[in-house]
Amino acid sequence: MTNKQPIGFIDSGVGGLTVVKEAIKQLPNENIIYLGDTARCPYGPRPAKQVIEYTWEMTRFLLRKNIKMLVIACNTATAVALDEIKKQLVIPVVGVILPGTRAAVKSTKNLQIGVIGTAGTVKSGSYKQAIITKVPEAAVTSLACPKFVPIVESNQFQSSVAKKIVAETLLPLKNKKIDTLILGCTHYPLLRPIIQNVMGQNVKLIDSGAETIGEVSMLLDYFDIANTDTLSKADYSFYTTGSTVMFDGIAKEWLAALPVYSKHIELGGSQSCDTMVEKHITYDQ
Ligand code: I24
Ligand code: DGL
């Protein structure tokens, strides 16, 4: 295994770029390949069985790209599919839930922890279970915030509408004495200033995605697979199942200076790793 192989990131859409941004910052030497299933986003409201199926399709696509590690950047996908994908792959597979949990358990002083996420993530109970497994005495309050992803995706995440909806939605958490709140969704870092304001400065917010890159870094060292070639510039490639123009627009803005030319691919059906067809609508880098 050569260390130059890329780290694969999968997500339901563009939200996983919040995790990639951390990866570029914390691991600037690593090559990255990202696949966002924008055509079928959001995963949050979908039944677990369907999310597992979609996550497998994305995984199979990236395995063909010879990745050395897989990061499931989507909380909803991690919640329902991580265990079975991890079991079947020989490369290390990292989800966003355990790293977020670890940081929360470390941060809490009163053992009152809050978790916010999509309907799918909260319904799975994965965060709650992961926290309780570590600290059985912890009290976990999970809250689905189905309105938050649409606020971000409609570009309203800095608006007064966002403030009102976030305040209303988080009301059930206000009377709990939580001192730590896990942002269990790729999109929530964009609402972080508003969430912090609503919850108060005494509540520590945990960004699951950012915590995940710490774990990726640790695993690269543990398996001795970090990219040791410090002379070449890191390579970033992006794939989307939806519009490349829209993907590139959001990714360029989010990842600042980075040029992004994503490629369109089709997922779905019973395609195997060997027969999956790539449609290059934009040009190859
Ligand atoms: N943010 C996200 N998804 C979108 C969006 C957004 N539109 C505006 N902003 N759209 O996720 C999703 C649907 N699209 C995706 C592309 O293909 C077609 C369908 C959060 C992204 C987090 C990195 C707001 C916005 C932006 C630029 C940067 C960040 C951001 F326009 F939140
Ligand atoms: N990526 C998803 C998550 O982190 C949010 C968007 C969606 O619902 O697909 O849970």
Side-chain angles (χ1 to χ4, degrees), residues 11-12 41-45 74-76 118 121 149 184-187:
D11 180 53
S12 56
C41 192
Y43 281 9
C74 176
N75 288 261
T76 312
T118 65
T121 299
V149 167
C185 174
T186 49
H187 288 52

PDB file of all heavy atoms in Angstrom, residues 11-12 41-45 74-76 118 121 149 184-187, ligand 2:
ATOM      1  N   ASP A  11     -20.554  11.556   1.435  1.00  0.00           N
ATOM      2  CA  ASP A  11     -21.599  12.326   2.122  1.00  0.00           C
ATOM      3  C   ASP A  11     -22.857  12.327   1.268  1.00  0.00           C
ATOM      4  O   ASP A  11     -22.802  12.072   0.063  1.00  0.00           O
ATOM      5  CB  ASP A  11     -21.134  13.773   2.369  1.00  0.00           C
ATOM      6  CG  ASP A  11     -22.198  14.601   3.067  1.00  0.00           C
ATOM      7  OD1 ASP A  11     -22.685  14.150   4.129  1.00  0.00           O
ATOM      8  OD2 ASP A  11     -22.576  15.668   2.558  1.00  0.00           O
ATOM      9  N   SER A  12     -23.965  12.667   1.909  1.00  0.00           N
ATOM     10  CA  SER A  12     -25.231  12.734   1.187  1.00  0.00           C
ATOM     11  C   SER A  12     -25.262  13.894   0.186  1.00  0.00           C
ATOM     12  O   SER A  12     -26.122  13.930  -0.683  1.00  0.00           O
ATOM     13  CB  SER A  12     -26.380  12.904   2.186  1.00  0.00           C
ATOM     14  OG  SER A  12     -26.148  14.040   2.993  1.00  0.00           O
ATOM     15  N   CYS A  41     -29.844  13.801  -1.976  1.00  0.00           N
ATOM     16  CA  CYS A  41     -29.804  14.535  -0.710  1.00  0.00           C
ATOM     17  C   CYS A  41     -31.172  15.191  -0.482  1.00  0.00           C
ATOM     18  O   CYS A  41     -31.769  15.654  -1.450  1.00  0.00           O
ATOM     19  CB  CYS A  41     -28.712  15.608  -0.799  1.00  0.00           C
ATOM     20  SG  CYS A  41     -28.303  16.365   0.776  1.00  0.00           S
ATOM     21  N   PRO A  42     -31.713  15.246   0.714  1.00  0.00           N
ATOM     22  CA  PRO A  42     -31.134  14.847   1.992  1.00  0.00           C
ATOM     23  C   PRO A  42     -31.387  13.385   2.351  1.00  0.00           C
ATOM     24  O   PRO A  42     -32.372  12.789   1.930  1.00  0.00           O
ATOM     25  CB  PRO A  42     -31.862  15.763   2.974  1.00  0.00           C
ATOM     26  CG  PRO A  42     -33.213  15.993   2.367  1.00  0.00           C
ATOM     27  CD  PRO A  42     -33.002  15.937   0.870  1.00  0.00           C
ATOM     28  N   TYR A  43     -30.483  12.847   3.151  1.00  0.00           N
ATOM     29  CA  TYR A  43     -30.637  11.493   3.693  1.00  0.00           C
ATOM     30  C   TYR A  43     -31.423  11.526   5.010  1.00  0.00           C
ATOM     31  O   TYR A  43     -32.024  10.531   5.402  1.00  0.00           O
ATOM     32  CB  TYR A  43     -29.262  10.872   3.979  1.00  0.00           C
ATOM     33  CG  TYR A  43     -28.513  10.316   2.770  1.00  0.00           C
ATOM     34  CD1 TYR A  43     -28.950  10.538   1.459  1.00  0.00           C
ATOM     35  CD2 TYR A  43     -27.348   9.563   2.959  1.00  0.00           C
ATOM     36  CE1 TYR A  43     -28.238  10.031   0.379  1.00  0.00           C
ATOM     37  CE2 TYR A  43     -26.641   9.040   1.877  1.00  0.00           C
ATOM     38  CZ  TYR A  43     -27.088   9.283   0.591  1.00  0.00           C
ATOM     39  OH  TYR A  43     -26.386   8.759  -0.469  1.00  0.00           O
ATOM     40  N   GLY A  44     -31.376  12.665   5.690  1.00  0.00           N
ATOM     41  CA  GLY A  44     -31.965  12.790   7.033  1.00  0.00           C
ATOM     42  C   GLY A  44     -33.363  12.210   7.192  1.00  0.00           C
ATOM     43  O   GLY A  44     -33.631  11.476   8.134  1.00  0.00           O
ATOM     44  N   PRO A  45     -34.283  12.539   6.260  1.00  0.00           N
ATOM     45  CA  PRO A  45     -35.655  12.027   6.427  1.00  0.00           C
ATOM     46  C   PRO A  45     -35.870  10.620   5.863  1.00  0.00           C
ATOM     47  O   PRO A  45     -36.977  10.092   5.957  1.00  0.00           O
ATOM     48  CB  PRO A  45     -36.493  13.032   5.607  1.00  0.00           C
ATOM     49  CG  PRO A  45     -35.542  14.072   5.087  1.00  0.00           C
ATOM     50  CD  PRO A  45     -34.181  13.487   5.162  1.00  0.00           C
ATOM     51  N   CYS A  74     -21.046  11.904   6.626  1.00  0.00           N
ATOM     52  CA  CYS A  74     -22.460  12.180   6.905  1.00  0.00           C
ATOM     53  C   CYS A  74     -22.885  11.501   8.210  1.00  0.00           C
ATOM     54  O   CYS A  74     -22.686  10.290   8.378  1.00  0.00           O
ATOM     55  CB  CYS A  74     -23.273  11.637   5.734  1.00  0.00           C
ATOM     56  SG  CYS A  74     -25.049  11.755   5.924  1.00  0.00           S
ATOM     57  N   ASN A  75     -23.464  12.280   9.105  1.00  0.00           N
ATOM     58  CA  ASN A  75     -23.907  11.716  10.392  1.00  0.00           C
ATOM     59  C   ASN A  75     -25.015  10.690  10.207  1.00  0.00           C
ATOM     60  O   ASN A  75     -25.029   9.651  10.878  1.00  0.00           O
ATOM     61  CB  ASN A  75     -24.417  12.838  11.309  1.00  0.00           C
ATOM     62  CG  ASN A  75     -23.303  13.709  11.828  1.00  0.00           C
ATOM     63  OD1 ASN A  75     -22.848  13.547  12.945  1.00  0.00           O
ATOM     64  ND2 ASN A  75     -22.835  14.639  11.016  1.00  0.00           N
ATOM     65  N   THR A  76     -25.956  10.987   9.310  1.00  0.00           N
ATOM     66  CA  THR A  76     -27.088  10.078   9.100  1.00  0.00           C
ATOM     67  C   THR A  76     -26.593   8.731   8.566  1.00  0.00           C
ATOM     68  O   THR A  76     -27.040   7.665   9.020  1.00  0.00           O
ATOM     69  CB  THR A  76     -28.109  10.709   8.123  1.00  0.00           C
ATOM     70  OG1 THR A  76     -28.379  12.055   8.535  1.00  0.00           O
ATOM     71  CG2 THR A  76     -29.388   9.926   8.073  1.00  0.00           C
ATOM     72  N   THR A 118     -30.199  15.123  12.332  1.00  0.00           N
ATOM     73  CA  THR A 118     -31.368  14.907  11.474  1.00  0.00           C
ATOM     74  C   THR A 118     -32.308  13.896  12.146  1.00  0.00           C
ATOM     75  O   THR A 118     -31.928  13.236  13.127  1.00  0.00           O
ATOM     76  CB  THR A 118     -30.956  14.322  10.104  1.00  0.00           C
ATOM     77  OG1 THR A 118     -30.412  13.012  10.317  1.00  0.00           O
ATOM     78  CG2 THR A 118     -29.953  15.209   9.385  1.00  0.00           C
ATOM     79  N   THR A 121     -30.641  10.407  12.184  1.00  0.00           N
ATOM     80  CA  THR A 121     -29.563  10.270  13.172  1.00  0.00           C
ATOM     81  C   THR A 121     -30.149  10.104  14.575  1.00  0.00           C
ATOM     82  O   THR A 121     -29.739   9.215  15.328  1.00  0.00           O
ATOM     83  CB  THR A 121     -28.634  11.505  13.127  1.00  0.00           C
ATOM     84  OG1 THR A 121     -28.048  11.573  11.821  1.00  0.00           O
ATOM     85  CG2 THR A 121     -27.546  11.434  14.180  1.00  0.00           C
ATOM     86  N   VAL A 149     -31.234  21.821   8.205  1.00  0.00           N
ATOM     87  CA  VAL A 149     -30.597  21.597   6.896  1.00  0.00           C
ATOM     88  C   VAL A 149     -31.243  22.496   5.828  1.00  0.00           C
ATOM     89  O   VAL A 149     -30.534  23.202   5.096  1.00  0.00           O
ATOM     90  CB  VAL A 149     -30.603  20.096   6.496  1.00  0.00           C
ATOM     91  CG1 VAL A 149     -30.250  19.899   5.029  1.00  0.00           C
ATOM     92  CG2 VAL A 149     -29.632  19.308   7.381  1.00  0.00           C
ATOM     93  N   GLY A 184     -24.476  17.176  15.651  1.00  0.00           N
ATOM     94  CA  GLY A 184     -24.429  15.875  14.980  1.00  0.00           C
ATOM     95  C   GLY A 184     -24.946  15.893  13.557  1.00  0.00           C
ATOM     96  O   GLY A 184     -25.725  15.024  13.158  1.00  0.00           O
ATOM     97  N   CYS A 185     -24.521  16.871  12.789  1.00  0.00           N
ATOM     98  CA  CYS A 185     -24.938  16.974  11.388  1.00  0.00           C
ATOM     99  C   CYS A 185     -23.930  17.852  10.655  1.00  0.00           C
ATOM    100  O   CYS A 185     -23.461  18.851  11.210  1.00  0.00           O
ATOM    101  CB  CYS A 185     -26.334  17.609  11.308  1.00  0.00           C
ATOM    102  SG  CYS A 185     -26.888  17.937   9.612  1.00  0.00           S
ATOM    103  N   THR A 186     -23.629  17.470   9.420  1.00  0.00           N
ATOM    104  CA  THR A 186     -22.618  18.194   8.632  1.00  0.00           C
ATOM    105  C   THR A 186     -22.920  19.688   8.476  1.00  0.00           C
ATOM    106  O   THR A 186     -22.007  20.496   8.363  1.00  0.00           O
ATOM    107  CB  THR A 186     -22.556  17.600   7.214  1.00  0.00           C
ATOM    108  OG1 THR A 186     -23.898  17.498   6.691  1.00  0.00           O
ATOM    109  CG2 THR A 186     -21.898  16.251   7.203  1.00  0.00           C
ATOM    110  N   HIS A 187     -24.209  20.034   8.444  1.00  0.00           N
ATOM    111  CA  HIS A 187     -24.593  21.419   8.156  1.00  0.00           C
ATOM    112  C   HIS A 187     -24.555  22.348   9.368  1.00  0.00           C
ATOM    113  O   HIS A 187     -24.550  23.561   9.212  1.00  0.00           O
ATOM    114  CB  HIS A 187     -26.018  21.456   7.587  1.00  0.00           C
ATOM    115  CG  HIS A 187     -26.148  20.928   6.197  1.00  0.00           C
ATOM    116  ND1 HIS A 187     -25.661  19.690   5.818  1.00  0.00           N
ATOM    117  CD2 HIS A 187     -26.735  21.462   5.094  1.00  0.00           C
ATOM    118  CE1 HIS A 187     -25.945  19.493   4.543  1.00  0.00           C
ATOM    119  NE2 HIS A 187     -26.598  20.543   4.077  1.00  0.00           N
TER     120      HIS A 187
HETATM  121  N1  DGL B   2     -25.159  15.019   5.767  1.00  0.00           N
HETATM  122  C1  DGL B   2     -26.338  14.900   6.595  1.00  0.00           C
HETATM  123  C2  DGL B   2     -25.910  14.597   8.051  1.00  0.00           C
HETATM  124  O1  DGL B   2     -24.832  14.898   8.472  1.00  0.00           O
HETATM  125  C3  DGL B   2     -27.207  16.139   6.545  1.00  0.00           C
HETATM  126  C4  DGL B   2     -27.913  16.346   5.242  1.00  0.00           C
HETATM  127  C5  DGL B   2     -28.877  15.213   4.911  1.00  0.00           C
HETATM  128  O2  DGL B   2     -29.931  15.076   5.571  1.00  0.00           O
HETATM  129  O3  DGL B   2     -28.553  14.459   4.007  1.00  0.00           O
HETATM  130  O4  DGL B   2     -26.676  14.022   8.777  1.00  0.00           O
END
